[in-house]
Amino acid sequence: MGVEIRLVEQSDEDLARWWRARSIGYLTDPQAGEQELAYLREALDPSRTWGAFEDGRCVATFRGFVQEVTVPGGPLFASAAVSGVTVSPTHRRRGLLTRMMEPYLRRAKESGEAMSSLIAAEYPIYGRFGYGPATWLTDFRVDTLRAARPGLPAEPDDRGRVVLADLERVRREGPELHERVRRIRHGMVTRPPVWWKKATGEYRLAESAWQEPYCALYLAADGTVDGLVSYTARDTWRNGVPDCVLDVKDLLAATPAAERALWHYLCSVDWVTGINAPSRAPDDLLPLLVGDARAVTPTACSDHLWLRPLDVPAMLTARSYQAEGSLVLDVHDKDGLAAGRFLLEAGPEGASCVPTDRTADLVLPAAALGSLYLGDESAVRLAALGRLEEERPGAATTADTLLRTSRRPWCPDIF
Ligand SMILES: CC(C)(COP(=O)(O)OP(=O)(O)OC[C@H]1O[C@@H](n2cnc3c(N)ncnc32)[C@H](O)[C@@H]1OP(=O)(O)O)[C@@H](O)C(=O)NCCC(=O)NCCS
């Protein structure tokens, strides 16, 4: 019998088989106990979770769901997200991923979803399916002794304060703060309730060791929760001298004052000589907040959120633009989903984007548009790489003037 691809049933047995296959692909603990089954029941969209089955065993997994991605200017834009993609080592490179991905994108397009989003485990997997990297992450390491020498990040003067919070309070107040923060930072995605339950230990899955984090909130003078940080610590001593490291799990701030206050707080915890702050925006305030920017070292930088256009006019009219201008984009798409020639007329007041038969200014594959969409990638850079063609001299510069954003997009979450 061949491999059958079908929706996963909500029975314990089917969910456990799906989880085991996913864990084999991700090289994580495959046990599906009560916690995992409860988590899956809450996390999965049964109408978009597929498995490939052979002789009663699940050998490939694919999970779709709808999420919102914040686009430049603040609107939350629905995207057909992809996650939980695995093919067991026994069945790799026989086209199973392709058999799950292609119909998913076709169905998303048919139901009017304008783009798809995912986080790529490995860079080379998804370009062929029309995705391009749209946001990047930087991991920072702070040498707190050096950061403190010319001065810690100044404490804000807005009479706010940092208070410790238990996980119950984080569960209660964190989601609302996140809702505010994601409206002011493009690239961020929906955090469903299940995200908070996992982050605060309500779900403790065997695949990730649980350590209760310390949490602190920043309260503005009027008591509004404007910031949240959660972190764990490693209690290490050398020759009787503390040499402890903090690992930041999450740091959200709705105002620059909150951001400054939370970094001030972290940098001044006694005994701490180093802070690991992973998954920050490449243009995070942190290095310039401390007196000595060299006290903050980027230790890793990698692509994070990938986007795949499905409906170019819907995408391009959803976001805002900092400048006025027009461009004719000829979008190529071997799968036909986003292909077409479109006239974009954009400005700070809004944009229109319609099919056109005018001469193209730029010819580009759908994946390149995915990379440009949130304003992080440069069209001039992609032209230099041969990944888009300038039919009208200067068109790539015009594209950058229109599409690029003052702050870089940031998606801190893994989904
Ligand atoms: C990545 C993975 C899902 C690919 O599944 P698969 O069924 O082997 O993929 P397909 O057979 O449909 O491959 C389609 C094409 O992509 C290529 N491809 C697939 N995975 C690739 C990878 N990791 N790197 C480079 N190319 C890859 C294949 O070679 C094939 O190319 P071709 O059409 O030119 O021959 C599978 O290898 C896997 O589970 N890996 C471990 C978990 C993982 O990384 N998951 C992705 C999470 S985002």
Side-chain angles (χ1 to χ4, degrees):
M1 210 177 82
V3 177
E4 181 202 8
I5 295 174
R6 62 164 173 80
L7 287 171
V8 172
E9 292 160 12
Q10 292 304 287
S11 65
D12 285 0
E13 199 192 0
D14 226 30
L15 288 174
R17 286 192 294 186
W18 189 89
W19 184 254
R20 175 165 287 275
R22 175 196 165 279
S23 306
I24 288 170
Y26 283 168
L27 305 177
T28 50
D29 191 325
Q31 62 181 286
E34 269 174 34
Q35 285 279 309
E36 284 76 17
L37 292 174
Y39 168 74
L40 288 174
R41 285 219 166 75
E42 183 169 353
L44 300 184
D45 175 346
S47 68
R48 291 181 185 234
T49 306
W50 289 272
F53 294 84
E54 186 182 57
D55 301 330
R57 176 180 272 275
C58 186
V59 295
T61 61
F62 187 103
R63 173 183 165 224
F65 59 100
V66 179
Q67 70 177 180
E68 289 164 344
V69 178
T70 309
V71 301
L76 309 178
F77 193 58
S79 175
V82 173
S83 173
V85 172
T86 66
V87 173
S88 296
T90 46
H91 287 69
R92 64 194 284 284
R93 307 300 180 268
R94 297 187 204 170
L96 274 181
L97 167 60
T98 310
R99 277 176 63 193
M100 297 187 288
M101 177 64 93
E102 287 182 352
Y104 180 70
L105 291 175
R106 242 186 352 262
R107 269 191 294 262
K109 165 91 182 167
E110 281 159 17
S111 48
E113 284 150 18
M115 69 181 184
S116 177
S117 43
L118 55 76
I119 291 159
E122 293 188 276
Y123 194 96
I125 304 175
Y126 294 104
R128 75 188 59 244
F129 298 111
Y131 292 83
T135 77
W136 292 71
L137 286 180
T138 302
D139 295 352
F140 291 108
R141 168 84 183 193
V142 187
D143 171 347
T144 51
L145 302 182
R146 179 165 283 278
R149 231 176 282 151
L152 290 173
E155 275 194 277
D157 51 11
D158 68 347
R159 286 182 290 128
R161 66 207 163 96
V162 174
V163 296
L164 290 169
D166 58 20
L167 293 175
E168 204 332 82
R169 186 163 184 198
V170 170
R171 232 172 267 141
R172 219 174 42 241
E173 316 226 29
E176 198 192 310
L177 172 67
H178 181 264
E179 284 303 307
R180 286 170 58 214
V181 174
R182 74 174 173 133
R183 282 170 170 75
I184 52 174
R185 193 63 188 256
H186 58 293
M188 291 181 76
V189 298
T190 320
R191 272 187 186 177
V194 72
W195 187 97
W196 290 99
K197 289 187 187 173
K198 231 170 116 181
T200 57
E202 240 181 289
Y203 285 125
R204 298 183 191 184
L205 308 184
E207 66 175 19
S208 43
W210 166 254
Q211 184 184 350
E212 180 171 330
Y214 311 107
C215 304
L217 301 175
Y218 177 75
L219 307 182
D222 66 359
T224 311
V225 177
D226 275 350
L228 158 72
V229 65
S230 65
Y231 60 96
T232 53
R234 281 175 263 164
D235 181 19
T236 318
W237 291 65
R238 288 178 216 290
N239 276 335
V241 177
D243 188 14
C244 302
V245 173
L246 294 189
D247 293 297
V248 178
K249 303 287 164 201
D250 194 21
L251 190 151
L252 289 176
T255 62
E259 200 161 337
R260 207 159 63 235
L262 291 174
W263 284 120
H264 177 93
Y265 167 79
L266 289 174
C267 289
S268 49
V269 175
D270 285 333
W271 298 1
V272 171
T273 53
I275 301 173
N276 290 322
S279 304
R280 306 303 302 169
D283 65 345
D284 202 275
L285 302 187
L286 173 62
L288 302 183
L289 272 181
V290 298
D292 180 349
R294 293 186 205 166
V296 182
T297 316
T299 51
C301 172
S302 61
D303 56 287
H304 193 60
L305 184 73
W306 288 55
L307 296 181
R308 200 279 182 227
L310 295 172
D311 181 336
V312 174
M315 279 175 78
L316 290 178
T317 49
R319 57 158 286 177
S320 72
Y321 299 83
Q322 291 183 16
E324 198 119 7
S326 69
L327 265 182
V328 176
L329 301 173
D330 196 343
V331 180
H332 288 199
D333 186 350
K334 71 172 174 48
D335 303 316
L337 298 166
R341 191 173 300 172
F342 307 97
L343 169 64
L344 169 68
E345 292 183 295
E349 301 307 315
S352 79
C353 182
V354 290
T356 184
D357 50 15
R358 289 197 204 175
T359 316
D361 296 322
L362 286 180
V363 179
L364 70 172
L369 184 59
S371 291
L372 294 171
Y373 181 58
L374 294 178
D376 204 44
E377 190 47 88
S378 149
V380 169
R381 186 173 184 232
L382 293 184
L385 289 161
R387 298 201 190 146
L388 61 76
E389 282 162 44
E390 217 177 18
E391 298 290 306
R392 178 174 60 75
T397 305
T398 307
D400 283 346
T401 307
L402 291 180
L403 292 161
R404 297 199 86 181
T405 53
S406 303
R407 289 299 301 271
R408 294 180 69 176
W410 178 49
C411 173
D413 295 346
I414 294 179
F415 54 83

Short mmCIF file of all heavy atoms in Angstrom, two decimals, residues 155-163 218-224 226 257-258 260-261:
data_model
loop_
_atom_site.label_atom_id
_atom_site.label_comp_id
_atom_site.label_asym_id
_atom_site.label_seq_id
_atom_site.Cartn_x
_atom_site.Cartn_y
_atom_site.Cartn_z
N GLU A 155 17.93 54.88 33.95
CA GLU A 155 16.56 54.60 34.39
C GLU A 155 15.65 55.67 33.82
O GLU A 155 16.00 56.85 33.84
CB GLU A 155 16.50 54.62 35.91
CG GLU A 155 16.89 53.28 36.50
CD GLU A 155 16.51 53.18 37.95
OE1 GLU A 155 17.30 53.67 38.78
OE2 GLU A 155 15.43 52.64 38.25
N PRO A 156 14.50 55.27 33.29
CA PRO A 156 13.63 56.29 32.71
C PRO A 156 13.10 57.23 33.80
O PRO A 156 13.06 56.86 34.97
CB PRO A 156 12.49 55.48 32.09
CG PRO A 156 12.54 54.17 32.76
CD PRO A 156 13.94 53.93 33.21
N ASP A 157 12.74 58.43 33.39
CA ASP A 157 12.32 59.41 34.39
C ASP A 157 10.80 59.57 34.37
O ASP A 157 10.27 60.62 34.72
CB ASP A 157 13.01 60.76 34.13
CG ASP A 157 12.84 61.18 32.68
OD1 ASP A 157 12.03 60.55 31.98
OD2 ASP A 157 13.53 62.12 32.27
N ASP A 158 10.09 58.52 33.91
CA ASP A 158 8.63 58.68 33.84
C ASP A 158 7.93 58.15 35.09
O ASP A 158 6.74 57.93 35.09
CB ASP A 158 8.07 57.99 32.59
CG ASP A 158 8.20 56.48 32.68
OD1 ASP A 158 8.93 56.00 33.58
OD2 ASP A 158 7.57 55.78 31.87
N ARG A 159 8.69 57.94 36.14
CA ARG A 159 8.18 57.48 37.44
C ARG A 159 7.50 56.12 37.37
O ARG A 159 6.65 55.80 38.16
CB ARG A 159 7.28 58.55 38.09
CG ARG A 159 8.15 59.71 38.63
CD ARG A 159 7.32 60.77 39.31
NE ARG A 159 6.53 61.53 38.36
CZ ARG A 159 5.23 61.72 38.48
NH1 ARG A 159 4.56 61.24 39.49
NH2 ARG A 159 4.57 62.42 37.57
N GLY A 160 7.88 55.35 36.36
CA GLY A 160 7.42 53.97 36.30
C GLY A 160 8.27 53.12 37.22
O GLY A 160 9.24 53.60 37.81
N ARG A 161 7.92 51.85 37.37
CA ARG A 161 8.74 50.99 38.22
C ARG A 161 8.68 49.54 37.75
O ARG A 161 7.72 49.13 37.08
CB ARG A 161 8.33 51.09 39.68
CG ARG A 161 6.96 50.57 39.98
CD ARG A 161 6.35 51.26 41.19
NE ARG A 161 4.92 51.02 41.19
CZ ARG A 161 4.32 50.07 41.88
NH1 ARG A 161 5.00 49.27 42.65
NH2 ARG A 161 3.02 49.90 41.80
N VAL A 162 9.73 48.79 38.11
CA VAL A 162 9.80 47.37 37.78
C VAL A 162 9.33 46.59 38.99
O VAL A 162 9.78 46.84 40.11
CB VAL A 162 11.24 46.98 37.39
CG1 VAL A 162 11.34 45.47 37.17
CG2 VAL A 162 11.67 47.74 36.13
N VAL A 163 8.40 45.67 38.79
CA VAL A 163 7.93 44.82 39.89
C VAL A 163 8.07 43.35 39.49
O VAL A 163 7.93 43.02 38.31
CB VAL A 163 6.43 45.09 40.24
CG1 VAL A 163 6.24 46.51 40.74
CG2 VAL A 163 5.52 44.81 39.05
N TYR A 218 7.13 46.01 33.87
CA TYR A 218 7.36 47.44 34.02
C TYR A 218 6.00 48.12 34.07
O TYR A 218 5.19 47.98 33.15
CB TYR A 218 8.18 47.99 32.84
CG TYR A 218 8.37 49.48 32.95
CD1 TYR A 218 9.28 50.00 33.87
CD2 TYR A 218 7.63 50.36 32.17
CE1 TYR A 218 9.45 51.38 34.00
CE2 TYR A 218 7.80 51.74 32.31
CZ TYR A 218 8.70 52.23 33.23
OH TYR A 218 8.86 53.58 33.37
N LEU A 219 5.76 48.82 35.16
CA LEU A 219 4.50 49.55 35.31
C LEU A 219 4.76 51.04 35.11
O LEU A 219 5.63 51.61 35.78
CB LEU A 219 3.91 49.34 36.71
CG LEU A 219 3.72 47.89 37.18
CD1 LEU A 219 3.09 47.87 38.57
CD2 LEU A 219 2.87 47.10 36.20
N ALA A 220 4.03 51.64 34.19
CA ALA A 220 4.16 53.09 34.01
C ALA A 220 3.58 53.78 35.25
O ALA A 220 2.95 53.13 36.09
CB ALA A 220 3.40 53.51 32.75
N ALA A 221 3.78 55.09 35.34
CA ALA A 221 3.36 55.83 36.54
C ALA A 221 1.88 55.60 36.85
O ALA A 221 1.49 55.53 38.02
CB ALA A 221 3.64 57.32 36.34
N ASP A 222 1.05 55.44 35.82
CA ASP A 222 -0.38 55.24 36.07
C ASP A 222 -0.73 53.76 36.29
O ASP A 222 -1.91 53.40 36.34
CB ASP A 222 -1.21 55.81 34.90
CG ASP A 222 -0.98 55.04 33.60
OD1 ASP A 222 -0.17 54.07 33.60
OD2 ASP A 222 -1.62 55.37 32.59
N GLY A 223 0.29 52.90 36.40
CA GLY A 223 0.04 51.49 36.70
C GLY A 223 -0.13 50.61 35.46
O GLY A 223 -0.22 49.39 35.57
N THR A 224 -0.13 51.21 34.26
CA THR A 224 -0.27 50.40 33.05
C THR A 224 0.94 49.48 32.88
O THR A 224 2.08 49.92 33.05
CB THR A 224 -0.34 51.32 31.79
OG1 THR A 224 -1.29 52.33 32.05
CG2 THR A 224 -0.72 50.54 30.54
N ASP A 226 3.53 48.21 30.86
CA ASP A 226 4.13 48.59 29.58
C ASP A 226 5.29 47.68 29.18
O ASP A 226 5.86 47.84 28.10
CB ASP A 226 4.65 50.04 29.66
CG ASP A 226 3.55 51.05 29.36
OD1 ASP A 226 2.46 50.64 28.92
OD2 ASP A 226 3.79 52.26 29.57
N ALA A 257 10.59 53.79 27.24
CA ALA A 257 10.89 53.89 28.67
C ALA A 257 10.85 52.50 29.31
O ALA A 257 11.71 52.14 30.12
CB ALA A 257 9.89 54.82 29.36
N ALA A 258 9.87 51.70 28.92
CA ALA A 258 9.74 50.35 29.47
C ALA A 258 10.94 49.50 29.04
O ALA A 258 11.51 48.74 29.83
CB ALA A 258 8.43 49.71 28.98
N ARG A 260 13.96 50.52 28.24
CA ARG A 260 15.15 50.99 28.96
C ARG A 260 15.13 50.47 30.40
O ARG A 260 16.12 49.97 30.92
CB ARG A 260 15.16 52.52 28.94
CG ARG A 260 16.50 53.12 29.03
CD ARG A 260 16.54 54.54 28.51
NE ARG A 260 15.70 55.46 29.28
CZ ARG A 260 14.76 56.21 28.75
NH1 ARG A 260 14.51 56.16 27.45
NH2 ARG A 260 14.04 57.03 29.50
N ALA A 261 13.97 50.55 31.01
CA ALA A 261 13.88 50.15 32.42
C ALA A 261 14.14 48.65 32.59
O ALA A 261 14.80 48.24 33.54
CB ALA A 261 12.49 50.50 32.95
#
